[in-house]
Amino acid sequence: MEPLLVSLDAGVLRLTLNRPDKLNAFTVAMTQALAAAFARAETDRAVRCVLVTGAGRGFCAGQDLTERDMSAQEIDLGDGLEARYNPLLRRMRALEKPVVCAVNGVAAGGGANFALACDLVLAARSASFLQAFVRIGIVPDCGGSYFLPRLAGTQRAMALAMTGEPLPAEEAERWGLIWKCVDDADLKGASERLAARLASGPTRALGLAKRAIYASAGNSFAAQLDLERQLQREIGASRDYREGVAAFLEKRQPAFTGQ
Ligand code: T3D
């Protein structure tokens, strides 16, 4: 069984984590397939949005714990992060195209933080986010210690990391960890509609907006204004900008091509 299902249709690259019996826990093969899919999204102009979800009742239970050789004298967990997870997360955040995540069930450990690394996160009402790391005696990784305090504040981040208690999707929405919680039956439709809308948007402008918003965490106000000027200068040369203004003046919907 393929650990990751990949399909491209109408500008949307759909990635489905596909180990439903193991709640889509990450294996080496799955993270390698994810890296390849995001590499494709970088270069394939037909890809204008990425939509990630999980097969079955869970979204992703983090690293597959059966892959570790627990009989080894020394275990270097940093190796897996360096070789697979960190490059994947950097790649997702740097991709100048929107990445939508539809969290269909429990998202635990690296699975929760992989979801939070996506640009827009929708979750089914029955889903939950679980910083499972403490339960097995390790620290949050896959960007969790970066995302959680920024999105939810230090106290909430600390509580999630130190208790390992599941955070229900509705609470995750109230805390600003995710964009929206929807009824389970609506998750597929809502995430498909969002992805389709983004895939027919002004792709370059969406990508540069993503760059600007992520850059703001490390920038002063003055530096951010400079960045906005630089990006606006760049996007002002795009075909989509001309199309957007023409459509407004002609009182019609714009037909953006992503150029
Ligand atoms: O190692 C490194 O490289 C460092 C990097 C770490 C990144 C990480 O992600 S560390 C965190 C790893 N994940 C966890 O610790 C979570 C482990 N899973 C759970 O705590 C629970 O499964 C859940 C709370 C997520 C869900 O519980 P529940 O009761 O709904 O389902 P379940 O029965 O526990 O799981 C269903 C099956 O999936 C079960 O298999 P079985 O017994 O039916 O054959 C279970 O063993 C399997 N499964 C769930 N999570 C994992 C897993 N198998 C391997 N690895 C998992 N992480």
Side-chain angles (χ1 to χ4, degrees):
M1 189 162 66
E2 290 298 318
L4 183 72
L5 305 179
V6 181
S7 67
L8 174 63
D9 182 38
V12 179
L13 187 68
R14 286 177 190 74
L15 308 180
T16 305
L17 310 180
N18 190 39
R19 300 182 67 224
D21 294 349
K22 300 295 174 190
L23 302 180
N24 304 314
F26 288 132
T27 54
V28 170
M30 192 193 284
T31 51
Q32 285 174 343
L34 279 167
F38 277 96
R40 173 183 174 184
E42 281 166 12
T43 54
D44 186 343
R45 288 165 74 139
V47 177
R48 294 174 67 188
C49 176
V50 179
L51 172 59
V52 186
T53 194
R57 73 176 175 92
F59 172 69
C60 176
Q63 168 63 40
D64 186 311
L65 297 174
T66 65
E67 264 191 345
R68 296 281 161 266
D69 177 7
M70 300 307 286
S71 66
Q73 280 279 315
E74 286 179 23
I75 300 175
D76 186 346
L77 295 181
D79 280 352
L81 295 179
E82 193 50 40
R84 296 185 291 127
Y85 289 105
N86 291 357
L88 172 63
L89 289 152
R90 286 192 202 105
R91 190 158 231 161
M92 291 164 65
R93 299 286 281 196
L95 177 68
E96 294 199 332
K97 296 175 183 175
V99 181
V100 175
C101 187
V103 179
N104 52 299
V106 65
N113 296 335
F114 169 75
L116 298 181
C118 297
D119 304 320
L120 283 170
V121 185
L122 298 179
R125 210 166 295 287
S126 67
S128 57
F129 296 81
L130 171 56
Q131 295 296 313
F133 308 91
V134 65
R135 296 184 177 192
I136 56 167
I138 59 173
V139 298
D141 61 21
C142 294
S145 62
Y146 178 91
F147 303 127
L148 294 173
R150 282 171 171 77
L151 294 171
T154 305
Q155 275 291 300
R156 286 167 168 173
M158 203 67 84
L160 292 176
M162 288 192 167
T163 66
E165 282 177 15
L167 184 73
E170 282 182 357
E171 197 94 14
E173 180 192 304
R174 274 196 294 275
W175 287 13
L177 272 185
I178 64 168
W179 184 44
K180 252 187 204 170
C181 166
V182 299
D183 289 339
D184 287 25
D186 294 340
L187 181 69
K188 189 166 166 27
S191 56
E192 288 285 347
R193 281 192 298 280
L194 176 61
R197 176 179 173 170
L198 295 173
S200 60
T203 310
R204 281 299 295 147
L206 299 180
L208 296 187
K210 171 170 170 173
R211 196 200 297 176
I213 287 169
Y214 288 148
S216 78
N219 269 349
S220 65
F221 179 56
Q224 197 66 16
L225 289 181
D226 287 350
L227 177 63
E228 288 177 0
R229 182 194 54 214
Q230 175 201 321
L231 298 180
Q232 211 65 297
R233 200 166 259 158
E234 183 177 335
I235 206 65
S238 69
R239 274 191 232 154
D240 278 344
Y241 166 59
R242 290 182 184 276
E243 166 60 11
V245 175
F248 174 78
L249 296 176
E250 292 161 20
K251 299 189 186 304
R252 61 172 173 83
Q253 287 300 310
F256 292 122
T257 60
Q259 306 300 308

